[in-house]
Amino acid sequence: MITPIAIRLTKGQDLKLEIQRLVTESQLQAGSIASCVGCVSQLNIRLANADFTKTITAPFEIVSLMGTLTQSHQHIHISAADEKGNVIGGHLLEGTIISHTAELIIHRYDNMTFSRELDSSTGYTELVIS
C-alpha cells in the first residue's frame, strides 16, 4: 500500500533537514520522493565521485528530486536549473535552502522496510529491501 505525504516548504527552510524531519515524524520505514517542484536560493551538493561539496548561492529551480528514504538515511539526488537554464545535480546535502516555496510529495510504502548495509563490492552502504 502506498500512502502519500504532501507538504509545502517555505522560504528559509533547509530542504534536506525538512525531508529528514518528515521521515522521523511520520515514522516512515520505507519511502521515496514522488515529486518536488520549487526553488532554492542556495544549493549544496556532493558531485559524482567527489570527496568535497559544492555550495552555490544563486537562484535555482528544482527540476528533479528523487531518492529512497529510510529512518537512518535519506539517499537523495537533486537537479536544479539556473537562470540561464544550465542544470547541475548531485547528492542533496544540508544547506540547500528554499527561496520561495517547494511542493514536496513523498510516497510511503507500509508493506516494506528499507535499510542500508555496507556492500563490500561498492564500499558504500546500499539499499536493502524487506
PDB file of all heavy atoms in Angstrom, residues 64-94:
ATOM      1  N   SER A  64      14.363  18.328 -10.650  1.00  0.00           N
ATOM      2  CA  SER A  64      14.219  16.921 -10.308  1.00  0.00           C
ATOM      3  C   SER A  64      14.706  16.712  -8.882  1.00  0.00           C
ATOM      4  O   SER A  64      15.709  17.292  -8.464  1.00  0.00           O
ATOM      5  CB  SER A  64      15.052  16.059 -11.263  1.00  0.00           C
ATOM      6  OG  SER A  64      15.000  14.703 -10.886  1.00  0.00           O
ATOM      7  N   LEU A  65      13.972  15.891  -8.141  1.00  0.00           N
ATOM      8  CA  LEU A  65      14.388  15.478  -6.808  1.00  0.00           C
ATOM      9  C   LEU A  65      13.897  14.053  -6.644  1.00  0.00           C
ATOM     10  O   LEU A  65      12.704  13.783  -6.807  1.00  0.00           O
ATOM     11  CB  LEU A  65      13.785  16.380  -5.729  1.00  0.00           C
ATOM     12  CG  LEU A  65      14.319  16.158  -4.314  1.00  0.00           C
ATOM     13  CD1 LEU A  65      15.730  16.720  -4.181  1.00  0.00           C
ATOM     14  CD2 LEU A  65      13.418  16.818  -3.287  1.00  0.00           C
ATOM     15  N   MET A  66      14.823  13.135  -6.366  1.00  0.00           N
ATOM     16  CA  MET A  66      14.436  11.740  -6.208  1.00  0.00           C
ATOM     17  C   MET A  66      15.298  11.094  -5.149  1.00  0.00           C
ATOM     18  O   MET A  66      16.415  11.543  -4.899  1.00  0.00           O
ATOM     19  CB  MET A  66      14.544  10.990  -7.528  1.00  0.00           C
ATOM     20  CG  MET A  66      15.932  11.003  -8.126  1.00  0.00           C
ATOM     21  SD  MET A  66      16.037  10.230  -9.747  1.00  0.00           S
ATOM     22  CE  MET A  66      14.970  11.264 -10.698  1.00  0.00           C
ATOM     23  N   GLY A  67      14.741  10.089  -4.506  1.00  0.00           N
ATOM     24  CA  GLY A  67      15.535   9.414  -3.510  1.00  0.00           C
ATOM     25  C   GLY A  67      14.782   8.304  -2.813  1.00  0.00           C
ATOM     26  O   GLY A  67      13.558   8.193  -2.917  1.00  0.00           O
ATOM     27  N   THR A  68      15.556   7.472  -2.106  1.00  0.00           N
ATOM     28  CA  THR A  68      14.999   6.438  -1.247  1.00  0.00           C
ATOM     29  C   THR A  68      15.174   6.880   0.191  1.00  0.00           C
ATOM     30  O   THR A  68      16.213   7.440   0.565  1.00  0.00           O
ATOM     31  CB  THR A  68      15.679   5.076  -1.487  1.00  0.00           C
ATOM     32  OG1 THR A  68      17.095   5.241  -1.423  1.00  0.00           O
ATOM     33  CG2 THR A  68      15.282   4.510  -2.839  1.00  0.00           C
ATOM     34  N   LEU A  69      14.143   6.640   0.993  1.00  0.00           N
ATOM     35  CA  LEU A  69      14.090   7.192   2.343  1.00  0.00           C
ATOM     36  C   LEU A  69      13.972   6.075   3.372  1.00  0.00           C
ATOM     37  O   LEU A  69      13.092   5.226   3.268  1.00  0.00           O
ATOM     38  CB  LEU A  69      12.886   8.137   2.468  1.00  0.00           C
ATOM     39  CG  LEU A  69      12.776   9.218   1.381  1.00  0.00           C
ATOM     40  CD1 LEU A  69      11.463   9.974   1.527  1.00  0.00           C
ATOM     41  CD2 LEU A  69      13.963  10.144   1.397  1.00  0.00           C
ATOM     42  N   THR A  70      14.884   6.092   4.340  1.00  0.00           N
ATOM     43  CA  THR A  70      14.829   5.188   5.480  1.00  0.00           C
ATOM     44  C   THR A  70      14.954   6.037   6.739  1.00  0.00           C
ATOM     45  O   THR A  70      15.308   7.214   6.676  1.00  0.00           O
ATOM     46  CB  THR A  70      15.977   4.154   5.460  1.00  0.00           C
ATOM     47  OG1 THR A  70      17.213   4.814   5.755  1.00  0.00           O
ATOM     48  CG2 THR A  70      16.080   3.450   4.122  1.00  0.00           C
ATOM     49  N   GLN A  71      14.703   5.441   7.882  1.00  0.00           N
ATOM     50  CA  GLN A  71      14.842   6.165   9.142  1.00  0.00           C
ATOM     51  C   GLN A  71      16.269   6.655   9.347  1.00  0.00           C
ATOM     52  O   GLN A  71      16.491   7.758   9.816  1.00  0.00           O
ATOM     53  CB  GLN A  71      14.437   5.284  10.326  1.00  0.00           C
ATOM     54  CG  GLN A  71      12.956   5.194  10.540  1.00  0.00           C
ATOM     55  CD  GLN A  71      12.377   6.496  11.060  1.00  0.00           C
ATOM     56  OE1 GLN A  71      12.834   7.040  12.047  1.00  0.00           O
ATOM     57  NE2 GLN A  71      11.372   6.990  10.371  1.00  0.00           N
ATOM     58  N   SER A  72      17.239   5.846   9.000  1.00  0.00           N
ATOM     59  CA  SER A  72      18.627   6.176   9.291  1.00  0.00           C
ATOM     60  C   SER A  72      19.336   6.931   8.173  1.00  0.00           C
ATOM     61  O   SER A  72      20.395   7.506   8.401  1.00  0.00           O
ATOM     62  CB  SER A  72      19.412   4.911   9.621  1.00  0.00           C
ATOM     63  OG  SER A  72      19.417   4.046   8.498  1.00  0.00           O
ATOM     64  N   HIS A  73      18.776   6.934   6.960  1.00  0.00           N
ATOM     65  CA  HIS A  73      19.486   7.546   5.840  1.00  0.00           C
ATOM     66  C   HIS A  73      18.498   7.922   4.738  1.00  0.00           C
ATOM     67  O   HIS A  73      17.632   7.126   4.373  1.00  0.00           O
ATOM     68  CB  HIS A  73      20.526   6.569   5.286  1.00  0.00           C
ATOM     69  CG  HIS A  73      21.380   7.141   4.211  1.00  0.00           C
ATOM     70  ND1 HIS A  73      22.452   7.953   4.470  1.00  0.00           N
ATOM     71  CD2 HIS A  73      21.317   7.016   2.872  1.00  0.00           C
ATOM     72  CE1 HIS A  73      23.033   8.304   3.337  1.00  0.00           C
ATOM     73  NE2 HIS A  73      22.357   7.742   2.347  1.00  0.00           N
ATOM     74  N   GLN A  74      18.673   9.119   4.212  1.00  0.00           N
ATOM     75  CA  GLN A  74      17.883   9.548   3.075  1.00  0.00           C
ATOM     76  C   GLN A  74      18.850   9.779   1.911  1.00  0.00           C
ATOM     77  O   GLN A  74      19.656  10.707   1.943  1.00  0.00           O
ATOM     78  CB  GLN A  74      17.101  10.837   3.382  1.00  0.00           C
ATOM     79  CG  GLN A  74      16.066  10.670   4.492  1.00  0.00           C
ATOM     80  CD  GLN A  74      16.664  10.731   5.883  1.00  0.00           C
ATOM     81  OE1 GLN A  74      17.448  11.610   6.191  1.00  0.00           O
ATOM     82  NE2 GLN A  74      16.292   9.796   6.736  1.00  0.00           N
ATOM     83  N   HIS A  75      18.796   8.907   0.911  1.00  0.00           N
ATOM     84  CA  HIS A  75      19.685   8.981  -0.257  1.00  0.00           C
ATOM     85  C   HIS A  75      18.941   9.742  -1.343  1.00  0.00           C
ATOM     86  O   HIS A  75      18.054   9.202  -2.006  1.00  0.00           O
ATOM     87  CB  HIS A  75      20.033   7.564  -0.707  1.00  0.00           C
ATOM     88  CG  HIS A  75      21.022   7.526  -1.820  1.00  0.00           C
ATOM     89  ND1 HIS A  75      21.344   6.362  -2.449  1.00  0.00           N
ATOM     90  CD2 HIS A  75      21.767   8.492  -2.415  1.00  0.00           C
ATOM     91  CE1 HIS A  75      22.244   6.604  -3.393  1.00  0.00           C
ATOM     92  NE2 HIS A  75      22.507   7.899  -3.390  1.00  0.00           N
ATOM     93  N   ILE A  76      19.299  11.016  -1.508  1.00  0.00           N
ATOM     94  CA  ILE A  76      18.524  11.917  -2.361  1.00  0.00           C
ATOM     95  C   ILE A  76      19.434  12.590  -3.386  1.00  0.00           C
ATOM     96  O   ILE A  76      20.500  13.095  -3.041  1.00  0.00           O
ATOM     97  CB  ILE A  76      17.819  13.000  -1.514  1.00  0.00           C
ATOM     98  CG1 ILE A  76      16.943  12.348  -0.439  1.00  0.00           C
ATOM     99  CG2 ILE A  76      17.003  13.928  -2.406  1.00  0.00           C
ATOM    100  CD1 ILE A  76      16.437  13.321   0.609  1.00  0.00           C
ATOM    101  N   HIS A  77      18.982  12.610  -4.629  1.00  0.00           N
ATOM    102  CA  HIS A  77      19.664  13.335  -5.701  1.00  0.00           C
ATOM    103  C   HIS A  77      18.788  14.505  -6.133  1.00  0.00           C
ATOM    104  O   HIS A  77      17.559  14.384  -6.187  1.00  0.00           O
ATOM    105  CB  HIS A  77      19.911  12.436  -6.904  1.00  0.00           C
ATOM    106  CG  HIS A  77      20.923  11.366  -6.639  1.00  0.00           C
ATOM    107  ND1 HIS A  77      21.335  10.501  -7.621  1.00  0.00           N
ATOM    108  CD2 HIS A  77      21.613  11.025  -5.523  1.00  0.00           C
ATOM    109  CE1 HIS A  77      22.229   9.675  -7.129  1.00  0.00           C
ATOM    110  NE2 HIS A  77      22.406   9.960  -5.850  1.00  0.00           N
ATOM    111  N   ILE A  78      19.436  15.626  -6.465  1.00  0.00           N
ATOM    112  CA  ILE A  78      18.728  16.818  -6.925  1.00  0.00           C
ATOM    113  C   ILE A  78      19.348  17.307  -8.228  1.00  0.00           C
ATOM    114  O   ILE A  78      20.563  17.196  -8.427  1.00  0.00           O
ATOM    115  CB  ILE A  78      18.761  17.943  -5.857  1.00  0.00           C
ATOM    116  CG1 ILE A  78      17.873  19.124  -6.269  1.00  0.00           C
ATOM    117  CG2 ILE A  78      20.192  18.370  -5.544  1.00  0.00           C
ATOM    118  CD1 ILE A  78      17.674  20.161  -5.171  1.00  0.00           C
ATOM    119  N   SER A  79      18.511  17.813  -9.109  1.00  0.00           N
ATOM    120  CA  SER A  79      18.935  18.563 -10.286  1.00  0.00           C
ATOM    121  C   SER A  79      18.250  19.906 -10.210  1.00  0.00           C
ATOM    122  O   SER A  79      17.057  19.986  -9.879  1.00  0.00           O
ATOM    123  CB  SER A  79      18.522  17.857 -11.584  1.00  0.00           C
ATOM    124  OG  SER A  79      19.155  16.611 -11.703  1.00  0.00           O
ATOM    125  N   ALA A  80      19.002  20.961 -10.499  1.00  0.00           N
ATOM    126  CA  ALA A  80      18.449  22.304 -10.421  1.00  0.00           C
ATOM    127  C   ALA A  80      18.979  23.140 -11.584  1.00  0.00           C
ATOM    128  O   ALA A  80      20.133  22.984 -11.995  1.00  0.00           O
ATOM    129  CB  ALA A  80      18.823  22.947  -9.087  1.00  0.00           C
ATOM    130  N   ALA A  81      18.125  24.017 -12.101  1.00  0.00           N
ATOM    131  CA  ALA A  81      18.474  24.859 -13.243  1.00  0.00           C
ATOM    132  C   ALA A  81      18.662  26.302 -12.800  1.00  0.00           C
ATOM    133  O   ALA A  81      17.866  26.830 -12.023  1.00  0.00           O
ATOM    134  CB  ALA A  81      17.380  24.780 -14.306  1.00  0.00           C
ATOM    135  N   ASP A  82      19.721  26.928 -13.317  1.00  0.00           N
ATOM    136  CA  ASP A  82      19.963  28.341 -13.005  1.00  0.00           C
ATOM    137  C   ASP A  82      19.164  29.234 -13.945  1.00  0.00           C
ATOM    138  O   ASP A  82      18.394  28.741 -14.790  1.00  0.00           O
ATOM    139  CB  ASP A  82      21.462  28.659 -13.007  1.00  0.00           C
ATOM    140  CG  ASP A  82      22.117  28.575 -14.381  1.00  0.00           C
ATOM    141  OD1 ASP A  82      21.408  28.547 -15.432  1.00  0.00           O
ATOM    142  OD2 ASP A  82      23.368  28.538 -14.422  1.00  0.00           O
ATOM    143  N   GLU A  83      19.366  30.535 -13.836  1.00  0.00           N
ATOM    144  CA  GLU A  83      18.573  31.496 -14.621  1.00  0.00           C
ATOM    145  C   GLU A  83      18.858  31.428 -16.120  1.00  0.00           C
ATOM    146  O   GLU A  83      18.098  31.969 -16.921  1.00  0.00           O
ATOM    147  CB  GLU A  83      18.793  32.914 -14.098  1.00  0.00           C
ATOM    148  CG  GLU A  83      20.229  33.364 -14.139  1.00  0.00           C
ATOM    149  CD  GLU A  83      20.455  34.656 -13.390  1.00  0.00           C
ATOM    150  OE1 GLU A  83      19.551  35.126 -12.689  1.00  0.00           O
ATOM    151  OE2 GLU A  83      21.558  35.193 -13.515  1.00  0.00           O
ATOM    152  N   LYS A  84      19.921  30.746 -16.525  1.00  0.00           N
ATOM    153  CA  LYS A  84      20.232  30.567 -17.943  1.00  0.00           C
ATOM    154  C   LYS A  84      19.790  29.191 -18.454  1.00  0.00           C
ATOM    155  O   LYS A  84      19.982  28.872 -19.620  1.00  0.00           O
ATOM    156  CB  LYS A  84      21.725  30.764 -18.184  1.00  0.00           C
ATOM    157  CG  LYS A  84      22.177  32.179 -17.913  1.00  0.00           C
ATOM    158  CD  LYS A  84      23.656  32.338 -18.161  1.00  0.00           C
ATOM    159  CE  LYS A  84      24.070  33.761 -17.825  1.00  0.00           C
ATOM    160  NZ  LYS A  84      25.519  33.930 -17.955  1.00  0.00           N
ATOM    161  N   GLY A  85      19.244  28.382 -17.565  1.00  0.00           N
ATOM    162  CA  GLY A  85      18.792  27.056 -17.947  1.00  0.00           C
ATOM    163  C   GLY A  85      19.852  25.985 -17.813  1.00  0.00           C
ATOM    164  O   GLY A  85      19.606  24.828 -18.144  1.00  0.00           O
ATOM    165  N   ASN A  86      21.017  26.349 -17.307  1.00  0.00           N
ATOM    166  CA  ASN A  86      22.064  25.354 -17.061  1.00  0.00           C
ATOM    167  C   ASN A  86      21.678  24.516 -15.855  1.00  0.00           C
ATOM    168  O   ASN A  86      21.231  25.042 -14.839  1.00  0.00           O
ATOM    169  CB  ASN A  86      23.408  26.044 -16.800  1.00  0.00           C
ATOM    170  CG  ASN A  86      23.864  26.863 -17.979  1.00  0.00           C
ATOM    171  OD1 ASN A  86      23.873  26.386 -19.108  1.00  0.00           O
ATOM    172  ND2 ASN A  86      24.224  28.105 -17.719  1.00  0.00           N
ATOM    173  N   VAL A  87      21.864  23.202 -15.976  1.00  0.00           N
ATOM    174  CA  VAL A  87      21.458  22.281 -14.915  1.00  0.00           C
ATOM    175  C   VAL A  87      22.694  21.687 -14.248  1.00  0.00           C
ATOM    176  O   VAL A  87      23.659  21.324 -14.907  1.00  0.00           O
ATOM    177  CB  VAL A  87      20.563  21.151 -15.479  1.00  0.00           C
ATOM    178  CG1 VAL A  87      20.218  20.127 -14.408  1.00  0.00           C
ATOM    179  CG2 VAL A  87      19.292  21.729 -16.089  1.00  0.00           C
ATOM    180  N   ILE A  88      22.615  21.606 -12.924  1.00  0.00           N
ATOM    181  CA  ILE A  88      23.648  20.947 -12.137  1.00  0.00           C
ATOM    182  C   ILE A  88      22.937  19.989 -11.191  1.00  0.00           C
ATOM    183  O   ILE A  88      21.796  20.242 -10.780  1.00  0.00           O
ATOM    184  CB  ILE A  88      24.517  21.959 -11.360  1.00  0.00           C
ATOM    185  CG1 ILE A  88      25.691  21.245 -10.672  1.00  0.00           C
ATOM    186  CG2 ILE A  88      23.685  22.778 -10.382  1.00  0.00           C
ATOM    187  CD1 ILE A  88      26.750  22.181 -10.125  1.00  0.00           C
ATOM    188  N   GLY A  89      23.591  18.905 -10.866  1.00  0.00           N
ATOM    189  CA  GLY A  89      22.956  17.951  -9.975  1.00  0.00           C
ATOM    190  C   GLY A  89      23.964  17.154  -9.188  1.00  0.00           C
ATOM    191  O   GLY A  89      25.155  17.142  -9.497  1.00  0.00           O
ATOM    192  N   GLY A  90      23.465  16.497  -8.148  1.00  0.00           N
ATOM    193  CA  GLY A  90      24.296  15.653  -7.319  1.00  0.00           C
ATOM    194  C   GLY A  90      23.529  15.184  -6.105  1.00  0.00           C
ATOM    195  O   GLY A  90      22.298  15.269  -6.055  1.00  0.00           O
ATOM    196  N   HIS A  91      24.265  14.707  -5.110  1.00  0.00           N
ATOM    197  CA  HIS A  91      23.664  14.267  -3.845  1.00  0.00           C
ATOM    198  C   HIS A  91      23.227  15.496  -3.050  1.00  0.00           C
ATOM    199  O   HIS A  91      24.034  16.392  -2.798  1.00  0.00           O
ATOM    200  CB  HIS A  91      24.672  13.478  -3.001  1.00  0.00           C
ATOM    201  CG  HIS A  91      24.970  12.125  -3.526  1.00  0.00           C
ATOM    202  ND1 HIS A  91      24.239  11.015  -3.162  1.00  0.00           N
ATOM    203  CD2 HIS A  91      25.914  11.693  -4.381  1.00  0.00           C
ATOM    204  CE1 HIS A  91      24.736   9.958  -3.776  1.00  0.00           C
ATOM    205  NE2 HIS A  91      25.748  10.338  -4.520  1.00  0.00           N
ATOM    206  N   LEU A  92      21.959  15.531  -2.659  1.00  0.00           N
ATOM    207  CA  LEU A  92      21.434  16.626  -1.850  1.00  0.00           C
ATOM    208  C   LEU A  92      22.064  16.599  -0.462  1.00  0.00           C
ATOM    209  O   LEU A  92      22.105  15.559   0.181  1.00  0.00           O
ATOM    210  CB  LEU A  92      19.912  16.502  -1.721  1.00  0.00           C
ATOM    211  CG  LEU A  92      19.224  17.546  -0.833  1.00  0.00           C
ATOM    212  CD1 LEU A  92      19.276  18.923  -1.488  1.00  0.00           C
ATOM    213  CD2 LEU A  92      17.795  17.132  -0.546  1.00  0.00           C
ATOM    214  N   LEU A  93      22.535  17.762  -0.020  1.00  0.00           N
ATOM    215  CA  LEU A  93      23.129  17.899   1.306  1.00  0.00           C
ATOM    216  C   LEU A  93      22.404  18.966   2.101  1.00  0.00           C
ATOM    217  O   LEU A  93      21.707  19.823   1.532  1.00  0.00           O
ATOM    218  CB  LEU A  93      24.610  18.272   1.187  1.00  0.00           C
ATOM    219  CG  LEU A  93      25.503  17.289   0.437  1.00  0.00           C
ATOM    220  CD1 LEU A  93      26.896  17.874   0.273  1.00  0.00           C
ATOM    221  CD2 LEU A  93      25.556  15.947   1.139  1.00  0.00           C
ATOM    222  N   GLU A  94      22.597  18.917   3.420  1.00  0.00           N
ATOM    223  CA  GLU A  94      22.091  20.003   4.273  1.00  0.00           C
ATOM    224  C   GLU A  94      22.691  21.309   3.776  1.00  0.00           C
ATOM    225  O   GLU A  94      23.835  21.333   3.308  1.00  0.00           O
ATOM    226  CB  GLU A  94      22.494  19.763   5.723  1.00  0.00           C
ATOM    227  CG  GLU A  94      21.845  18.562   6.342  1.00  0.00           C
ATOM    228  CD  GLU A  94      22.335  18.297   7.761  1.00  0.00           C
ATOM    229  OE1 GLU A  94      22.932  19.208   8.378  1.00  0.00           O
ATOM    230  OE2 GLU A  94      22.135  17.175   8.243  1.00  0.00           O
TER     231      GLU A  94
END
